[in-house]
Amino acid sequence: MEIPLFILALVAAFVYTLVASIRNSSRIKSLEREVLSLKRLMAAGVTSPVAAQAESAETTAKPDFEAEEKSRAPAEDASEPQEAAAIAQAEDPVSEEAPSAPASDTASAPATKESFESLLGARWAVWAGGLALALGGIFLVKYSIESGLLSPAVRLSLAAIFGLVLGVAGEAVRRKAVPGIAATYSNAMIPGVLTAAGALTLFGVVYAAYGIYGYIGPGMAFGLLGLVAFATIGLSLLHGQALAGLGLLGSMLTPALISTETPNIWALFVFLTISWLATAAAARRQGWTVVPSLANAGLGIWALGYIGFSETISAEPPTLALLVMLAGTIFLWPGKAFDTPPAETGETAAPERRAIRAMRLLLRPSLALNLTVSMAVILPAMGFLFADGGIDTHPALIVSALIAALAALGAARHYAVWPAIIAALGAQAAVSLMSRQGIDFIGLINDTSVSLPPVSVGYTAEIAMALGLGAVFVLCAFSFLKRKGADDADFAQLWAGIAALFPVWLATSSFVEYGNLGRDWLHAAYGLGLGLVLLAGAEWLHRQNNEAYRKPLNILVLGSFAAFALCLHTLTEGLATTVLLSVIGFIYVLATRYRNWDVLPWVMAVASVAVLGRIAWEPTIVGPQNLGTTPVFNALLPGYGIPALLAVASAWLLRDWPGVRAKNFLQAIASVMGLLAVAILIRHAMNGGTLDDSVPTLGEQSIYTLLTIGFSGVLMTLDLKSPSPVFRYGSMIAGVIAVINVLTMHFFTLNPYFTGENTGSIPFLNLMLIGYLLPALAYGGLAYYARGKRPPPYVSMLAVAGAALGFAWATLSVRRFWQGENIADWKGFLQGETYSYSVVWLLIGVLLLVLGSRFNARSLRLASAAFVLISVAKAFLIDMSNLEGVLRALSFIGLGAVLIGIGLFYQKILTRKPQA
């Protein structure tokens, strides 16, 4: 049963090689061949029409050609050894011995579409032939086994000789038999296919000698398989990337094929590291990206598998192997190959194309290399946190080293966007995961484990990891900004964002999970130092006098405020924290006198929003048990009042600030905070010194309605001074909210007619005044102020709301006159009361008619008509049946007289003024 499985493995490996060969025919290789053809033409001194056209295009668009040349052959950087290697490759023995072809044919060959005959005869035949050779050798060995013709040793020897013969034949064909066709059929080269078949055969021989017949031990089998793998990788320099993939596959499978009871972990990862380095060296020489990406993935999978399936874990071998991989990525391959800043275009300044710029940032060259090396590091790092076996090193140290090295890669190269992002996200994930693990992270190899210290003792390693990684991100960010930030504005913004966000985030997580929540001087010092460092970095960018640093500077300033806010929260709480947040923001506003940084006003805006967030979390600021009952003079006054005053002062100081949005936002938030401060003090005073979720009284709700109406007017005024969609629509939204409050609270929920609330003993200065008349006047004033400034339907809504409140005030005042302080509905109606309603409603209608005529307000005249219609309906539907005697007669007589007078009034108006 073992031989057929082994045969299937070999066939699968060979099929993989062929598939990789097909995929190797990419656009990059085609462009490289075209450049190579042009170099040969130039070396031969032959000029063709196509070459002349290319030369003329180079003279007219040289910058674009140079950029394209860099993207075609990234391995040809400024270093002299690589240039020499490229020249040596261009002038290899094949090109020297090949007969000279016509220049026009050579130049036009890459552009000619390949025929079906070429595909069938020149490519598929080669692939099928290579597969047939490999299977033929396997079947021959299988036949000799089944027939008992040869001993195992002889069969293995013959198979080894067959593999070597295939390799030699491949080299012979490459040198002499078919010169000159490699450039055309690079992914179907007969020498490469022969060499691949020979390599597969040798892999099979070594494994059979070890795993099936036991002729050699694990050490020798390990060495021979590694030798075949490295030889295959070396031959790939002559035969292409597909053969390198086969060698890489063999080297990665070699440790899995060799089993031993006492595995040497150091030998394993040293072998894997050497395999990775060999692959990277070959990739650097040839400019490959697929095979090194697979090498990154293979090394990461081995590290993750070792961590997941080992009972006792030695952390140093896999960690050092991954660190070598990161160092090799920085310096060996890709190294500087793709380290070119993106070309600046006109699109970079268009705000509507930010999404496109973000996609370009994330999809830079060598995307596969970036992602594979990042995941190959971060997944094993996370694996150390979940390892079931004992670990000889604290996971915090291992994770810190790996993430710091990954961040260094992100800061070292222009193309390493994903390593920077994944390192930052991985650091935060590691800090969060370590605090939630219920297992022992420290394990000694001698089957002894040491539990993590209890919470009361502290978590020194975890805190050091969080704070240390934060410092690493700041250093990497400044390193990138200094060396490459001016040439790569998008990546500079990303690194500035990482430096501003993640160190504060990591320190906050460390403080919440491991710190002293009462007063933590360590995290406070860290936050203070971080804020000062970020501010110093912003000042340094400012002195560079480079427009590319404008946005990174603003991001660093925001990060400094976040760091100071962290410091504040680690040392203070309650009232002090709320007030000092606004004080810190106000200091940034004062800094506008010395620096014209765009972000400074926004820091105050962020601070104000943070204060509102704290208020939403704890409206009492100091806790219900610590809040005094004295009206106005309690913790609410400084807790709400000082931030509101500082916001108002900031808006005033920035009245001449060129940034309209920041100025308008500060004005709006200052208005909100001022109105909120007044509202909360009213709430506290009218509820006996307590703040709870109880339903407010009508008087309290009326004050809130008046504040909302006033807020709408303030926003409208701000919009007139500094036009802004926020102010325009915000003022109308505030008006609509006030109207909704009136419809739901004033007329129904809190109406004393339904609730039975006492209205007060003073005839005019009572609940009716504050609950209905004052809001009615406020609505009337707002409607008058909004005429010509807001849409007519909105103005009409305000006017109708004011008229409705006035109607409610008059009606409820009549009921109070007849019923006393309590006007609850269960008291019923008196005849004099019923008659008084008709008189008052008609008077209101006449008054609105006069005002509508005086101010030429059609909405008031329509409201007058509504009141008159209500009075008419009441007279015919209610008064006719409920009133008796003289009251019924007076009701109808008065109604008729008023209606006739109104008709006469309208006739004079309509005859004096032209109809609209």
Side-chain angles (χ1 to χ4, degrees), residues 22 129 165 217 278 347 392 436 576 911:
I22 298 172
V165 168
E347 298 177 355
D392 60 352
R436 290 168 173 80
T911 55

Side-chain angles (χ1 to χ4, degrees), residues 14 18 123-136 166 193-194 197:
F14 194 80
L18 296 181
R123 296 185 187 275
W124 297 347
V126 174
W127 301 329
L131 180 61
L133 282 175
L135 291 177
L166 288 177
V193 172
L194 292 174

Side-chain angles (χ1 to χ4, degrees), residues 640-819:
Y640 285 78
I642 293 178
L645 289 177
L646 291 177
V648 173
S650 300
W652 184 80
L653 290 174
L654 296 170
R655 62 191 182 278
D656 298 326
W657 185 258
V660 177
R661 292 182 178 178
K663 179 171 58 179
N664 290 346
F665 187 84
L666 277 176
Q667 291 172 348
I669 204 167
S671 303
V672 172
M673 296 181 73
L675 293 172
L676 180 62
V678 176
I680 203 69
L681 290 174
I682 293 172
R683 173 76 173 174
H684 177 268
M686 297 188 69
N687 286 270
T690 60
L691 290 179
D692 50 31
D693 57 354
S694 60
V695 178
T697 61
L698 177 60
E700 182 182 348
Q701 179 59 42
S702 299
I703 295 177
Y704 300 150
T705 302
L706 290 172
L707 289 175
T708 309
I709 296 172
F711 181 59
S712 176
V714 169
L715 290 182
M716 195 183 310
T717 303
L718 293 175
D719 183 47
L720 294 177
K721 293 183 177 180
S722 301
S724 169
V726 176
F727 292 156
R728 176 177 177 82
Y729 296 109
S731 64
M732 291 191 288
I733 291 173
V736 171
I737 292 175
V739 171
I740 294 174
N741 285 336
V742 167
L743 292 176
T744 57
M745 308 295 286
H746 290 252
F747 285 122
F748 297 102
T749 306
L750 302 178
N751 192 331
Y753 177 76
F754 298 113
T755 62
E757 182 181 357
N758 191 287
T759 60
S761 59
I762 303 177
F764 180 75
L765 302 177
N766 50 48
L767 186 60
M768 301 298 101
L769 174 66
I770 190 174
Y772 295 94
L773 183 58
L774 292 181
L777 295 176
Y779 270 115
L782 184 61
Y784 180 77
Y785 184 55
R787 292 179 62 192
K789 306 178 183 69
R790 291 292 179 264
Y794 174 73
V795 178
S796 299
M797 180 196 70
L798 297 177
V800 170
L805 283 169
F807 169 76
W809 172 79
T811 302
L812 294 176
S813 296
V814 168
R815 183 168 179 79
R816 185 185 179 280
F817 174 79
W818 289 97
Q819 300 288 351

Side-chain angles (χ1 to χ4, degrees), residues 537-550:
E539 177 65 20
W540 169 71
L541 293 180
H542 171 74
R543 296 185 179 182
Q544 301 303 309
N545 197 21
N546 192 327
E547 184 65 21
Y549 289 133
R550 181 179 179 182

Side-chain angles (χ1 to χ4, degrees), residues 200-510:
L200 282 174
T201 303
L202 293 177
F203 274 122
V205 168
V206 175
Y207 181 74
Y210 161 73
I212 298 178
Y213 300 110
Y215 287 148
I216 56 178
M220 180 173 289
F222 186 86
L224 290 176
L225 287 175
L227 179 63
V228 175
F230 290 129
T232 306
I233 294 175
L235 290 174
S236 68
L237 296 174
L238 302 175
H239 299 293
Q241 187 171 197
L243 191 60
L246 178 63
L248 175 66
L249 178 64
S251 62
M252 290 297 172
L253 289 179
T254 292
L257 296 176
I258 306 303
S259 61
T260 177
E261 295 181 356
T262 58
N264 190 330
I265 302 304
W266 277 103
L268 168 66
F269 282 99
V270 167
F271 173 82
L272 294 174
T273 303
I274 294 174
S275 175
W276 186 94
L277 291 172
T279 305
R284 175 186 173 92
R285 174 66 175 81
Q286 300 298 98
W288 294 332
T289 57
V290 176
V291 170
S293 300
L294 296 176
N296 295 338
L299 186 55
I301 291 172
W302 266 108
L304 194 61
Y306 168 67
I307 295 169
F309 295 101
S310 298
E311 295 181 357
T312 57
I313 300 173
S314 178
E316 289 85 356
T319 303
L320 292 177
L322 295 175
L323 292 177
V324 169
M325 179 183 67
L326 289 172
T329 303
I330 297 175
F331 300 107
L332 180 59
W333 179 253
K336 296 181 179 180
F338 301 103
D339 199 24
T340 304
E344 292 291 336
T345 63
E347 298 177 355
T348 56
E352 65 274 7
R353 294 177 180 173
R354 291 175 182 173
I356 298 177
R357 292 174 57 189
M359 291 301 296
R360 290 178 178 174
L361 178 68
L362 297 177
L363 300 178
R364 289 190 172 181
S366 67
L367 176 62
L369 287 170
N370 278 335
L371 289 176
T372 53
V373 74
S374 301
M375 301 310 294
V377 171
I378 206 66
L379 291 180
M382 297 298 106
F384 280 113
L385 303 180
F386 293 95
D388 294 331
I391 307 176
D392 60 352
T393 306
H394 198 289
L397 302 178
I398 306 170
V399 173
S400 299
L402 292 176
I403 293 179
L406 186 61
L409 169 61
R413 301 299 175 209
H414 282 288
Y415 56 82
V417 175
W418 283 106
I421 296 175
I422 294 176
L425 295 175
Q428 182 57 43
V431 173
S432 300
L433 288 173
M434 289 194 71
S435 65
R436 290 168 173 80
Q437 299 307 307
I439 59 175
D440 292 337
F441 287 129
I442 304 175
L444 301 178
I445 295 181
N446 299 328
D447 291 335
T448 61
S449 61
V450 179
S451 301
L452 289 176
V455 177
S456 59
V457 176
Y459 293 89
T460 304
E462 287 81 352
I463 294 175
M465 180 186 74
L467 303 185
L469 285 177
V472 167
F473 287 129
V474 173
L475 291 175
C476 289
F478 285 156
S479 173
F480 183 88
L481 291 172
K482 179 178 176 59
R483 296 181 300 106
K484 304 174 182 292
D487 300 327
D488 196 345
D490 293 336
F491 204 3
Q493 295 175 37
L494 176 61
W495 262 118
I498 291 175
L501 173 63
F502 283 93
V504 178
W505 193 2
L506 290 170
T508 302
S509 300
S510 174

Side-chain angles (χ1 to χ4, degrees), residues 540-572:
W540 169 71
L541 293 180
H542 171 74
R543 296 185 179 182
Q544 301 303 309
N545 197 21
N546 192 327
E547 184 65 21
Y549 289 133
R550 181 179 179 182
K551 291 184 178 180
L553 182 152
N554 292 332
I555 295 172
L556 292 180
V557 173
L558 274 178
S560 68
F561 169 75
F564 291 143
L566 169 65
C567 175
L568 182 64
H569 280 82
T570 57
L571 296 178
T572 63

Side-chain angles (χ1 to χ4, degrees), residues 49 54 66 76 239 243 278 340 458 523 538 575 598 603 693 773 829 878:
E66 290 178 353
E76 298 179 6
H239 299 293
L243 191 60
T340 304
H523 289 89
L575 180 61
D598 299 336
V603 174
D693 57 354
L773 183 58
F829 295 90
I878 299 176

